[in-house]
Amino acid sequence: MDAPSPAPADLTELLHQRGQRATPQRLVILRELRHRAHHVTADQIRTAVAQELPGMSAPTVYATLDLLVELGLARRVDAGPGAALYDARAEPHHHVVCRRCGRIDDLDGDVDTAGLRHTAERQGFVPHSVEVVITGLCPGCAPGSG
Amino acid sequence: MDAPSPAPADLTELLHQRGQRATPQRLVILRELRHRAHHVTADQIRTAVAQELPGMSAPTVYATLDLLVELGLARRVDAGPGAALYDARAEPHHHVVCRRCGRIDDLDGDVDTAGLRHTAERQGFVPHSVEVVITGLCPGCAPGSG
DNA sequence: ATTGGTGCAAATCCTTTGCAATAGC
DNA sequence: GCTATTGCAAAGGATTTGCACCAAT
């Protein structure tokens, strides 16, 4: 199948390879990100990990999330105004955003990202990740549902 | 110099149908948006139209862009941190973002948005627009290009 | 011991809000 | 004339920066 969620130990190794340090903050943030099935904001991460590591600062959260994205262990999703979202789901997946209530859900199903990547390559780009965001009305906000 | 592109008169009519007013600010912003081949930030719009309508305020620009998006005449693209982008290109198109220099280009080619919309519908969503953003390295930043 | 990382607080940037004056209908 | 819309200024929220202390290697 697909990747069986690499253990957080990988992060330690990855960091050491780059001459960086495996701090508790980094390990805990990645674990929390993986523990969550869905996308979270930087602030939600901060709140969530406060139980394990009280006093973690916002700059640390942002820096760590950026680092995880750079390492390819997390994805950043910009879906409209407000805070950016992060997730560490192993399988590729995309999102639907309700433009009325702001709700964000996963879009399951097969997306031809290979084709999209190929198109980008033809333009000289080296694709790294593909984000698909569908804007519309969620079941709760769609007319005729309430 | 004048606009051979679709007449802004459409906007006037659309607004009147909704009991709203066709102000010069709205007409000029839409024309400017259509005149530009690419995506622009709200602030770039403000700078650009300053020649025609000096003193246009930021709130007006944001409100107008929101309105145009709501009317389906413009699209908002969230591609990473920083300011949101807007464009009024008629044909569906998507974007590639360089994660090193931040450059944003159009991704040309056929994207199966119909399939994506259908997938969203199966989840009970009413899709409005589909955004595809590919992150990676642009030709200038890719290794081996210079 | 070294130096990368963290926390604090303030700064910065983007966007929205409140209200009086203006201009479109 | 009625009221939507504008402009001003300031607030609001998300993210980043500078610097001193601490902790991972």
Side-chain angles (χ1 to χ4, degrees), chain B residues 36-56:
Chain B
R36 303 258 175 157
H38 293 307
H39 15 69
V40 289
T41 65
D43 201 59
Q44 286 174 326
I45 281 288
R46 194 158 77 103
T47 302
V49 303
Q51 305 160 22
E52 293 186 57
L53 272 159
M56 188 183 301

Side-chain angles (χ1 to χ4, degrees), chain A residues 117-128:
Chain A
R117 286 170 186 275
H118 186 67
T119 303
E121 282 167 0
R122 290 177 113 181
Q123 297 178 215
F125 252 78
V126 180
H128 180 247

Side-chain angles (χ1 to χ4, degrees), chain B residues 101-114:
Chain B
C101 69
R103 181 188 198 84
I104 297 176
D105 285 326
D106 284 352
L107 175 76
D108 292 311
D110 209 355
V111 177
D112 180 22
T113 56

Side-chain angles (χ1 to χ4, degrees), chain A residues 69-71 76 78-82 96-99 103-111 116-117 119-120 123-140 142-143, chain B residues 69-70 76 78-82 94 96-99 103-111 116-117 119-120 123-140 142-143:
Chain A
V69 169
E70 195 183 332
L71 291 172
R76 179 197 166 110
D78 295 288
V96 282
V97 184
C98 180
R99 63 167 176 151
R103 182 188 198 85
I104 297 175
D105 284 327
D106 283 354
L107 176 75
D108 292 313
D110 209 355
V111 177
L116 292 168
R117 286 170 186 275
T119 303
Q123 297 178 215
F125 252 78
V126 180
H128 180 247
S129 74
V130 179
E131 275 316 325
V132 177
V133 176
I134 298 183
T135 305
L137 296 175
C138 73
Chain B
V69 169
E70 194 183 333
R76 178 195 168 111
D78 294 289
H94 301 286
V96 282
V97 184
C98 180
R99 64 168 176 148
R103 181 188 198 84
I104 297 176
D105 285 326
D106 284 352
L107 175 76
D108 292 311
D110 209 355
V111 177
L116 292 168
R117 286 170 185 275
T119 304
Q123 296 178 216
F125 252 77
V126 179
H128 180 248
S129 74
V130 179
E131 276 316 325
V132 177
V133 176
I134 299 183
T135 305
L137 296 175
C138 74

